Amino acid sequence: MAIKTRITEMFGVETPIVMGGMTGVGYGELVAAVANAGALGFITAHMFESGQALFDEIEKTRKLTDKPFGVNLTLLPSINPIPYDDYREAIIASGLKIVETAGRAPTDHLPRFKENGVKVIHKCTSVRHSVSAVKKGVDVISIDGFECAGHPGEDDVGLVVLLPATVDALPDTPIIASGGMADGRSLVAALALGADGVNMGTRFCATVEAKIHENVKQKIVENTELDTVLVGRSLRNTARVARNAISEQVAEIQKDPTKTFADVKELMAGVRGRENVLAAGDTDGGIWTSGQSQALIHDIPTCADLVKNIMAQAEAVRKKVAA
């Protein structure tokens, strides 16, 4: 089954399925497997200590696939400086033509990207931020509904409303639907609401090629739509993470409006989640990101089988609707 959209045409991919950047997950092996399956995957830049290390990961990925893939730049404040300029130049030097940005608008990076023919997908959580990003020059919007893993923003708008509202506001811009997307039904629903593609993060974590502990993958399969927790609400930096002993402890502490980030910093440390959970497999060992879409995830396939099954289900759903 072939579904052609502005996303498949713009990026030369076989399916309108995207695996956006994910901290601790978006390494070259998984990205290459996603690409070989006919979808679009992104290496997560800030997992690498330097521009050169990112360049090396891009080259390693190129040896594993001849299909399109990109790099994610998540632009956020950091205690320790992140070499964003070096990442940007490494991407340009590599010849890659697709970048996904998140966090603040990539205003300072857009001129260099545009000079070198790089298309920029920007992740947003609201219509107003999407409109602003397009005015600044991004090429595609990936709109995150409240269901999404990671940072859903502070407006609490579900994708079934947020997606068509964004499409209405930006009819000339390709839109990727993100948050709650996990199967062929999701894809058809998103296309019906005006999207040009779907972004799946949690779904690609539960694949054979994802370099995270099997315990985490099994936990995603076991979890339901109720097994996520919102943390950081009191700090206006909301994140949706998997429900476990640590996230419930953080949420309880943050019920007290006098508490600051210092009161949960140790519990929420990203390195703790990556080392204890993603690497060692202790699913109560730290904060780890997962979306409500885990309720729709029932297996741990290869990326090739996952994409094939999504597209087959999408075709079946389209026929059912047409009937």
Side-chain angles (χ1 to χ4, degrees), residues 32-87:
V34 170
N36 287 333
L40 178 62
F42 288 87
I43 296 169
T44 305
H46 65 257
M47 298 191 303
F48 301 92
E49 63 182 11
S50 66
Q52 183 61 51
L54 173 61
F55 183 89
D56 292 343
E57 188 75 6
I58 293 169
E59 291 303 298
K60 181 178 78 174
T61 308
R62 276 217 172 97
K63 293 176 181 176
L64 301 173
T65 185
D66 59 359
K67 304 287 184 64
F69 65 91
V71 171
N72 167 278
L73 291 179
T74 297
L75 304 166
L76 295 171
S78 175
I79 295 172
N80 299 312
I82 297 174
Y84 287 122
D85 290 352
D86 292 344
Y87 290 155

Side-chain angles (χ1 to χ4, degrees), residues 20 32 42 49 116 131 143 166 172 189 192-193 203 220 222 229 236 245 254 271 312:
F42 288 87
E49 63 182 11
N116 289 277
V131 171
I143 190 71
T166 306
D172 298 324
L193 292 171
R203 174 63 274 196
I220 292 170
E222 294 168 11
V229 175
R236 291 195 62 77
Q254 291 184 327
V271 65

Side-chain angles (χ1 to χ4, degrees), residues 227-279:
D227 293 313
T228 68
V229 175
L230 296 173
V231 296
R233 301 238 82 181
S234 60
L235 308 174
R236 291 195 62 77
N237 188 27
T238 300
R240 185 180 297 283
V241 299
R243 184 181 298 278
N244 67 4
I246 299 296
S247 62
E248 289 188 325
Q249 184 180 352
V250 170
E252 185 63 31
I253 291 169
Q254 291 184 327
K255 287 180 180 178
D256 181 348
T258 67
K259 299 296 184 181
T260 68
F261 179 65
D263 295 295
V264 295
K265 180 180 179 181
E266 189 174 319
L267 293 171
M268 292 186 69
V271 65
R272 177 176 181 166
R274 289 190 295 276
E275 291 180 356
N276 294 353
V277 182
L278 299 185

